[in-house]
Amino acid sequence: MDEKKKMDRNKLAQIALKECRSLGAEYTDIRIERIEDENLSVSDGITEPIEKTTSAGIGLRVIKNGAWGFASTDNLSESSVKIKAKLAVAIAMASASVNKNKVELSPLKPIKGDYVSPCKIDPFILPLDRKIAFLMEIDSAIVAHGKDRINSRNCFAGFRKIDKYFASSKGAEIRQTITQTGGGLSMGMMKSHRERYERSFPSSSGQYECKGFELLGELKMKEAIPRLVEEIEMLQTAPPCLSGVTTLLLSGDQVSLQIHESIGHPLEL
């Protein structure tokens, strides 16, 4: 983030803190966040529409009369932030009227610091044609190894940059810049109208890490293509799986998906 944007962000946080303090808040913290996303995909040698989005907002959290109040907005104007400050304090006061136990924060020293996640090649600075060329190269490798046996193929890459700023009335000030990169590929073979076989790498949803564009090379997707083609052919000729009670081994990505679906979603209820 350039210096002007940093100053604007810091100024906005100070305006929010000052407004909440003037309204009698005993404690306030501010979170300002900006998220930039870019998603690229190549299907059967054709570049799909590119998805690029940017979102930003501010969240205010206050304690008034020993109770929490919250408010947020994607309107980062000074007037909007002041309105949300009043709303957060009003919610805290309403909560205090029914709250039996007053909130007491831990006596921690305020933290000041900066964190930037590892990123050797910033995907948001890299030219678009280079990113698409990388995916096209993978697509060509699938064609070369799969020949006429593979009749559907897809490769994709996704990038996200999260810029976070936290400030509190206790003097804490924390900045984070997190860059996330991910990608993957899939290929399919249609045996008949009802029979289709597909393999993906590194998993069905790809692999994402807090790294830059360099991650896509580290995944070694091109090197995995010959094995994936062979596995599809094995699936096509494999005998039906026998029924019975046995030990089932799940891959790591399947375990995480199972936990997400079976435990994560029920916890939302």
Side-chain angles (χ1 to χ4, degrees), residues 6-268:
K6 282 184 180 179
M7 290 179 64
D8 290 345
R9 183 180 59 181
N10 297 356
K11 179 182 176 182
L12 193 62
Q14 292 305 314
I15 289 171
L17 291 171
K18 182 179 179 180
E19 185 69 16
C20 291
R21 185 167 55 247
S22 70
L23 295 168
E26 297 135 26
Y27 170 82
T28 305
D29 60 43
I30 309 297
R31 288 169 175 80
I32 301 174
E33 186 167 321
R34 182 178 185 273
I35 301 176
E36 186 176 0
D37 283 304
E38 182 179 75
N39 293 292
L40 311 174
S41 177
V42 171
S43 295
D44 298 328
I46 299 174
T47 303
E48 299 285 350
I50 298 167
E51 301 175 0
K52 297 186 71 172
T53 60
T54 302
S55 59
I58 181 171
L60 300 85
R61 189 171 68 155
V62 306
I63 298 177
K64 174 74 183 287
N65 297 341
W68 285 110
F70 307 87
S72 63
T73 179
D74 59 356
N75 184 340
L76 299 182
S77 67
E78 182 175 337
S79 59
S80 173
V81 170
K82 287 183 175 181
I83 290 172
K84 294 303 176 181
K86 291 182 174 66
L87 176 60
V89 171
I91 291 174
M93 293 173 66
S95 299
S97 66
V98 295
N99 190 23
K100 295 180 179 180
N101 301 309
K102 288 191 174 183
V103 174
E104 293 185 9
L105 298 179
S106 300
L108 300 176
K109 292 182 179 180
I111 300 297
K112 291 191 176 184
D114 294 83
Y115 174 76
V116 178
S117 66
C119 179
K120 295 179 181 178
I121 305 174
D122 189 339
F124 293 95
I125 295 178
L126 203 65
L128 180 61
D129 57 357
R130 180 175 168 184
K131 290 178 278 192
I132 293 177
F134 179 89
L135 296 179
M136 284 294 191
E137 190 175 338
I138 295 174
D139 180 80
S140 297
I142 297 175
V143 173
H145 288 280
K147 303 187 185 308
D148 57 350
R149 294 169 291 176
I150 302 300
N151 46 40
S152 69
R153 57 192 191 277
N154 174 264
C155 46
F156 60 90
F159 313 103
R160 168 172 286 190
K161 180 172 287 187
I162 307 172
D163 186 83
K164 298 182 179 182
Y165 177 75
F166 173 89
S168 78
S169 56
K170 296 292 186 181
E173 191 175 16
I174 303 170
R175 303 175 185 84
Q176 289 183 342
T177 301
I178 299 173
T179 302
Q180 299 171 336
T181 294
L185 65 88
S186 65
M187 60 184 76
M189 179 185 295
M190 186 78 73
K191 184 177 180 181
S192 67
H193 181 68
R194 294 178 178 273
E195 292 181 275
R196 172 180 168 79
Y197 304 89
E198 185 171 303
R199 298 300 290 164
S200 304
F201 183 84
S203 69
S204 59
S205 56
Q207 181 168 322
Y208 292 79
E209 297 181 26
C210 286
K211 289 186 177 182
F213 188 80
E214 67 275 5
L215 172 68
L216 298 184
E218 295 171 6
L219 293 179
K220 298 187 181 301
M221 289 187 276
K222 285 176 61 178
E223 289 83 345
I225 290 172
R227 175 175 60 82
L228 296 176
V229 172
E230 182 181 356
E231 288 179 359
I232 288 181
E233 293 177 330
M234 291 170 66
L235 283 171
Q236 191 177 20
T237 57
C241 183
L242 297 176
S243 62
V245 178
T246 185
T247 300
L248 181 64
L249 298 179
L250 299 178
S251 62
D253 59 310
Q254 183 61 43
V255 172
S256 63
L257 177 62
Q258 197 66 52
I259 293 173
H260 169 84
E261 299 294 346
S262 300
I263 300 176
H265 285 305
L267 289 175
E268 296 173 350

